[in-house]
Amino acid sequence: MRSWASVAWFLVPALVLFLVFVLAPIAVAVYTGFFKWGGTGPVDEFVGFENYTKLFADQVFLGGLGRGLYLVVLSITVQLPFALFTAVLLNQRLRGRAVYRMLFFAPYILSEVVTAVLFTMIFLPGAGMADHLAGALGLEGLRGKWLADPSTVMPTLFVVMTWKYFGFHMMLFLAGLQSIPGEILEAASIDGAGAWRRFRHVALPLLGPTIRISAFLSIIGAIQLFDLVWVMTAGGPNHSSETMAISVFQYGFKRYQVGYASAISVVLFMISLVFSLFYQRYVLRRDLSGAVTSGGGR
């Protein structure tokens, strides 16, 4: 009984917070998603699945879904390989590598709002650093377009995302590289493996768990992206950078269509949940097997 009391003492406060701030809002969103409600007054105009049928015919929402997929693909194919390359480089014996690690990780420490304000000034049409750099490089066609043109706004936002978050993934990969026993790499070197073969056939497989966790965090972050985009573009121009999370905010707090915004939030939650369960079941299964023990490890 004393053992169970100790467990309850530590577990109950966390469960209460989880119930109040996670499960209860989810339940409220699911409930209000079946109503036409403006956020004030009684929730009494039941519309069933009308919000959901409207949602999947909404070109703005479908566009947000596509933009989320766009960011996911770029994050996996560009951001993570760049972070891995940087981690491998900074794992070598370089003079001043601690300074480089600090500089590359520093953007992650900044808040998303500070980062967004900084890059809004950099991409300011006519006066920003990006326009001056584009003019110096002869890229006159990009001047003034970075965040103002539908064809360039998403690549520009991805550059900002990469600058902000690649340092976090770099540190994950660096920690994974440093956890590899030196004896294994030394044995491969004695067997005649060059630097590339040691990385490709020894280090990279041993980095598998770190890469899979990093990819999971990157994908979930891209799906739920909000603050950077909201401060920099608010979803514009003409909805061309509007993500699903921004659609929730726009409909819920700007247009007072809380029922419809709740339906979008439920779909966003279900996408994240289904992906997380699928990823854990089929991708992280080998990494998680044996991670949880019972009976004191017996």
Side-chain angles (χ1 to χ4, degrees), residues 23-221:
L23 295 184
I26 291 173
V28 171
V30 172
Y31 176 74
T32 55
F34 293 107
F35 290 84
K36 185 178 181 181
W37 184 48
T40 59
V43 186
D44 55 5
E45 190 175 345
F46 182 77
V47 295
F49 287 95
E50 180 180 322
N51 286 327
Y52 292 94
T53 56
K54 175 185 174 183
L55 184 151
F56 287 106
D58 186 350
Q59 294 303 313
V60 174
F61 171 78
L62 295 177
L65 193 61
R67 284 182 284 273
L69 181 60
Y70 172 85
L71 292 176
V72 166
V73 172
L74 285 184
S75 296
I76 296 300
T77 59
V78 178
Q79 185 183 65
L80 295 190
F82 177 58
L84 179 58
F85 171 78
T86 309
V88 171
L89 186 63
L90 295 183
N91 195 43
Q92 310 302 315
R93 293 184 177 179
L94 299 175
R95 177 176 296 179
R97 64 178 180 176
V99 176
Y100 291 125
R101 292 175 185 176
M102 180 190 68
L103 290 176
F104 289 143
F105 185 70
Y108 181 71
I109 300 175
L110 295 176
S111 73
E112 282 75 5
V113 173
V114 171
T115 301
V117 171
L118 172 65
F119 276 93
T120 300
M121 297 171 64
I122 291 175
F123 293 115
L124 191 67
M129 184 189 302
D131 273 4
H132 292 301
L133 182 61
L137 296 177
L139 303 174
E140 297 292 339
L142 289 176
R143 289 173 62 89
K145 286 188 174 182
W146 306 102
L147 299 174
D149 191 285
S151 64
T152 58
V153 63
M154 288 305 297
T156 302
L157 288 173
F158 176 72
V159 169
V160 179
M161 280 180 56
T162 301
W163 183 87
K164 174 75 173 71
Y165 295 113
F166 98 95
F168 169 75
H169 298 285
M170 179 202 73
M171 293 302 289
L172 288 180
F173 294 143
L174 192 58
L177 287 168
Q178 292 181 346
S179 68
I180 297 175
E183 295 83 359
I184 297 178
L185 297 175
E186 186 178 351
S189 179
I190 293 174
D191 288 340
W196 167 248
R197 294 186 65 186
R198 289 199 302 272
F199 173 75
R200 170 66 181 84
H201 297 288
V202 180
L204 195 59
L206 293 175
L207 274 178
T210 305
I211 294 173
R212 287 186 282 272
I213 288 294
S214 184
F216 174 77
L217 295 175
S218 182
I219 292 171
I220 290 295

Side-chain angles (χ1 to χ4, degrees), residues 241-256:
S241 64
E242 187 166 318
T243 62
M244 288 183 287
I246 287 181
S247 294
V248 173
F249 187 86
Q250 289 279 21
Y251 282 107
F253 295 96
K254 294 293 185 179
R255 305 177 190 178
Y256 300 103

